[in-house]
Amino acid sequence: MALNLVSPAEIKATPFLGSAKSTYFPKLPAGFALKRKDCRAVYGRRVCCSAQPPPPAWPGRAVPELGRKTWDGPKPISIVGSTGSIGTQTLDIVAENPDKFRIVALAAGSNVTLLADQVKTFKPQLVAVRNESLVDELKEALADIEQKPEIIPGEQGVIEVARHPDAVTVVTGIVGCAGLKPTVAAIEAGKDIALANKETLIAGGPFVLPLAQKHNIKILPADSEHSAIFQCIQGLSEGALRRIILTASGGAFRDWPVDKLKEVKVADALKHPNWNMGKKITVDSATLFNKGLEVIEAHYLFGADYDDVEIVIHPQSIIHSMVETQDSSVLAQLGWPDMRLPILYTMSWPDRIYCSEVTWPRLDLCKLGSLTFKAPDNVKYPSMDLAYAAGRAGGTMTGVLSAANEKAVEMFIDEKIGYLDIFKVVERTCEKHREELVVSPSLEEIIHYDLWARKYAASVLESPSLRPVPA
């Protein structure tokens, strides 16, 4: 059989968004693995890369291994990022279920006051504070407790928390590429990962997934959309998954006409119709970059082709995502928007833990009334095409997309660029990165290009087509 493959020259001649089209990279026959060796100079040396995709965390099905250890007593948990949103909600779960979970190690960034309170409540054996200058303050805050934990400062302390010998599962709630090294350390130490750090897969997928397979550990998704998919594929037979359907709220501008977007101010983008969240994630919901990044995560987690991952606007945010099976059945996971449920499932899987109705309200569909859906507008949300293009490019491109978006959103919030310029900054950064794309990167290369993308995205501001927004 003759295959018409795209040459490197043709790739460079094609606009970056051209790779968003499914016809650009033709589908191959089932069972046929295409390997493309691509040698280029990185840091002044030659790097050979293979286009063989990394193994998915869950190849379209989730079946517990026979003989896998279960826990009669409290399961030992480490938390990286204990004072953030994911960390505090995880600790709420532990506090409600002391017979099911216990904390052995905690790591935080700089919120020493909250960290000290957490130590007093949960009595971990090991504590890390990333900001080394705050160690003395933490020690002073813990001076009056009898059972003092070991304290290790800096990045090394965070790594030691992640690979604590007693921990079985590590909750990775730390934000950004700072979460990559601790996650890698935990995997190498044989710990299962309750994944809340998006860079682990979006930037690190080509490196992290083979490592997880090598050490036979499980990566369990803690965000609501991927947890919904994970819950829906429980018990599916091999090859049963046909399509993934990611639901999106649509963000602040889901009901705005496209031609009005040029008038968007920062305050407009921060008005989420459903939730009160941090500024960055609220803007990502408005641009739909959050969903584009979730498409990439879904590809890495479940092995679905990008052609088989779709986005649907669902304003009520009750269906957290769906899967379609080969026989066209569609399975959905429903629930009130509450991050504690997906976090809990990463900690308890494959078991289900009873939850009190007082703190975990049960879903009342009759009270809810109706659920609605509509297709997203690619003109209103060009982030979708950018994300699919980056995903199909693979390698370091997905991390560059994420980092460039993060920097662009920061510049928008600071009123240095306009709302529509967010998309321009990300596209230009990805277009530039095609010159140095590394398909099978090392951890160091992933971190290097994350930093490069932020720096390059900031430099795009100097372009005459990107003018600061008047204060």
Side-chain angles (χ1 to χ4, degrees), residues 378-453:
N378 287 61
V379 177
K380 181 185 288 187
Y381 303 114
S383 52
M384 293 190 298
D385 286 339
L386 287 165
Y388 278 93
R392 290 191 169 95
T396 47
M397 187 64 79
T398 50
V400 164
L401 174 91
S402 177
N405 172 64
E406 192 167 325
K407 187 63 182 179
V409 170
E410 176 188 315
M411 293 191 292
F412 167 67
I413 291 171
D414 292 342
E415 299 189 333
K416 294 178 179 178
I417 63 174
Y419 174 77
L420 294 177
D421 292 331
I422 295 172
F423 308 105
K424 297 177 186 177
V425 168
V426 175
E427 181 177 4
R428 292 182 188 182
T429 305
C430 291
E431 180 69 39
K432 181 66 176 176
H433 181 58
R434 293 203 307 162
E435 300 171 6
E436 297 186 16
L437 173 67
V438 182
V439 180
S440 297
S442 67
L443 181 60
E444 291 73 22
E445 287 164 338
I446 289 165
I447 294 172
H448 166 80
Y449 282 111
D450 175 90
L451 296 172
W452 172 87

Side-chain angles (χ1 to χ4, degrees), residues 24 28 36 60 122 207 247 260 273 294 324-325 331 372 433:
Y24 180 64
L28 300 175
R36 174 176 60 84
F122 296 97
F207 176 82
T247 55
K260 192 180 175 184
E294 287 171 13
E324 181 184 13
T325 59
L331 311 178
T372 59
H433 181 58

Side-chain angles (χ1 to χ4, degrees), residues 38-211:
D38 185 7
C39 297
R40 55 174 62 81
V42 180
Y43 319 136
R45 58 187 174 85
R46 302 293 290 176
V47 178
C48 289
C49 307
S50 170
Q52 178 68 23
W58 302 93
R61 60 200 295 262
V63 180
E65 296 172 357
L66 292 175
R68 193 168 183 84
K69 186 173 182 180
T70 57
W71 297 91
D72 296 326
K75 188 177 185 179
I77 304 289
S78 284
I79 304 177
V80 177
S82 68
T83 57
S85 174
I86 296 296
T88 54
Q89 291 179 88
T90 302
L91 289 172
D92 287 343
I93 293 168
V94 174
E96 190 171 336
N97 299 278
D99 59 324
K100 298 291 192 300
F101 309 109
R102 65 183 176 92
I103 297 299
V104 296
L106 296 174
S110 57
N111 192 340
V112 170
T113 302
L114 179 54
L115 178 59
D117 289 341
Q118 292 174 347
V119 171
K120 292 173 183 178
T121 301
F122 296 97
K123 299 177 175 56
Q125 303 163 27
L126 175 65
V127 176
V129 56
R130 190 176 185 86
N131 188 337
E132 298 186 33
S133 65
L134 298 174
V135 171
D136 289 340
E137 184 180 338
L138 178 61
K139 289 180 178 178
E140 184 178 348
L142 299 176
D144 60 344
I145 67 171
E146 293 183 9
Q147 193 175 341
K148 292 182 175 60
E150 179 183 4
I151 300 174
I152 304 178
E155 183 180 56
Q156 189 58 42
V158 179
I159 289 173
E160 294 304 326
V161 165
R163 64 186 182 196
H164 190 282
D166 290 350
V168 172
T169 296
V170 180
V171 179
T172 58
I174 195 170
V175 176
C177 269
L180 267 175
K181 286 186 178 179
T183 303
V184 167
I187 292 171
E188 291 177 336
K191 315 299 181 185
D192 286 341
I193 306 297
L195 183 66
N197 172 271
K198 65 182 176 63
E199 280 77 14
T200 297
L201 292 182
I202 292 172
F207 176 82
V208 168
L209 289 171
L211 192 69

